[in-house]
Amino acid sequence: MSRREEFLAEMGLAPIWRLRNKEKPRQEEACSDSRKGWIELKQAVPACTACSLHKSRKQTVFGVGDEQADWMLIGEAPGAEEDRLGEPFVGQAGRLLDNMLAAIGLKRGENVYIANVLKCRPPGNRNPAPEEVAKCSPHLRGQIELIAPKLIVAMGRFAAQTLLNTDASIASLRGRVHAYAGVPLVVTYHPAYLLRNLPDKAKAWEDLVFARKTMAGL
Ligand code: URA
């Protein structure tokens, strides 16, 4: 009981009636819609047979992290390790990604959500086929809608081209703020590409600094 309430009680004027918070039921509704949305999506992805990748996968790789994150990082597709463990970016590219995140003060799972365009591994790590991307896109769109991040970082050509619906190169898309469904989006190189092209790490660092600055201004 607050001092004011104690005082009013002593004066015989308690209880005090408060105006009901009109926002609350709406907030609660939104929370329960979002909870339902996550449950449905987390059932739909492992059950998905929309393209032939379901035949060769060990398991689907849904995504990982804070479901209320401000940051959402999006890669291409699971590799062998991800297919085995069910989590995105857990192989060598993932270690580089974790270091990149640490460089801008971020940590996997803390205000960060990581997902891929494809939820299943393309055999032999071949490039995703357009039909696979088209069939899988609703899953990613659902994740983005539920998380409602403040900023998306598209890593690599497939994520950038899929989300921005363009054929433009990463080089031409870097350094600007784009948008996906109204969410600001920046583009950078894919960590696996950086492992093979070390000189471009400096450019990826520039992109991360740009992303951090963009987030600070949101
Ligand atoms: N490359 C990706 O694009 N995603 C992963 O999860 C792993 C490697």
Side-chain angles (χ1 to χ4, degrees):
M1 207 187 270
S2 70
R3 289 205 45 210
R4 179 167 168 267
E5 282 169 308
E6 264 172 43
F7 174 76
L8 289 171
E10 224 168 63
M11 299 284 290
L13 296 171
I16 25 175
W17 302 100
R18 287 195 182 84
L19 255 184
R20 201 156 64 92
N21 182 352
K22 290 198 191 126
E23 284 305 311
K24 222 169 169 205
R26 235 182 283 149
Q27 263 174 24
E28 276 163 13
E29 242 171 61
C31 273
S32 113
D33 284 352
S34 146
R35 220 171 296 132
K36 250 198 286 170
W38 277 117
I39 291 169
E40 279 170 18
L41 199 55
K42 284 176 183 175
Q43 283 170 351
V45 169
C48 184
T49 55
C51 78
S52 62
L53 293 183
H54 76 275
K55 293 182 198 150
S56 50
R57 73 184 177 215
K58 282 203 174 70
Q59 61 189 311
T60 54
V61 178
F62 186 81
V64 70
D66 178 352
E67 292 173 358
Q68 266 112 41
D70 289 337
W71 294 82
M72 183 160 182
L73 281 84
I74 302 177
E76 181 177 317
E81 278 298 276
E82 290 77 20
D83 181 57
R84 192 170 69 81
L85 297 169
E87 183 171 328
F89 286 100
V90 286
Q92 218 192 340
R95 280 190 288 283
L96 175 57
L97 177 60
D98 287 339
N99 290 337
M100 287 163 66
L101 288 174
I104 53 166
L106 295 174
K107 198 166 170 211
R108 179 185 291 249
E110 290 179 13
N111 202 20
V112 177
Y113 195 93
I114 303 172
N116 286 307
V117 172
L118 291 193
K119 308 305 182 204
C120 296
R121 179 190 183 211
N125 295 348
R126 63 159 169 76
N127 287 341
E131 193 227 341
E132 292 157 1
V133 173
K135 291 271 169 64
C136 212
S137 286
H139 298 318
L140 179 62
R141 192 161 54 237
Q143 287 174 308
I144 296 171
E145 278 169 14
L146 287 166
I147 295 163
K150 281 194 187 162
L151 183 68
I152 294 171
V153 181
M155 301 182 293
R157 189 162 68 87
F158 274 93
Q161 292 183 343
T162 302
L163 292 167
L164 298 175
N165 195 20
T166 177
D167 287 335
S169 66
I170 288 289
S172 70
L173 296 169
R174 292 176 55 237
R176 282 184 287 143
V177 182
H178 307 267
Y180 172 84
V183 181
L185 180 153
V186 298
V187 164
T188 191
Y189 294 102
H190 191 286
Y193 166 87
L194 294 173
L195 290 171
R196 301 187 304 266
N197 298 273
L198 295 181
D200 279 340
K201 269 191 178 173
K203 291 187 192 156
W205 169 242
E206 280 172 22
D207 295 338
L208 293 177
V209 171
F210 178 66
R212 193 173 53 180
K213 209 173 92 194
T214 303
M215 176 66 91
L218 293 174

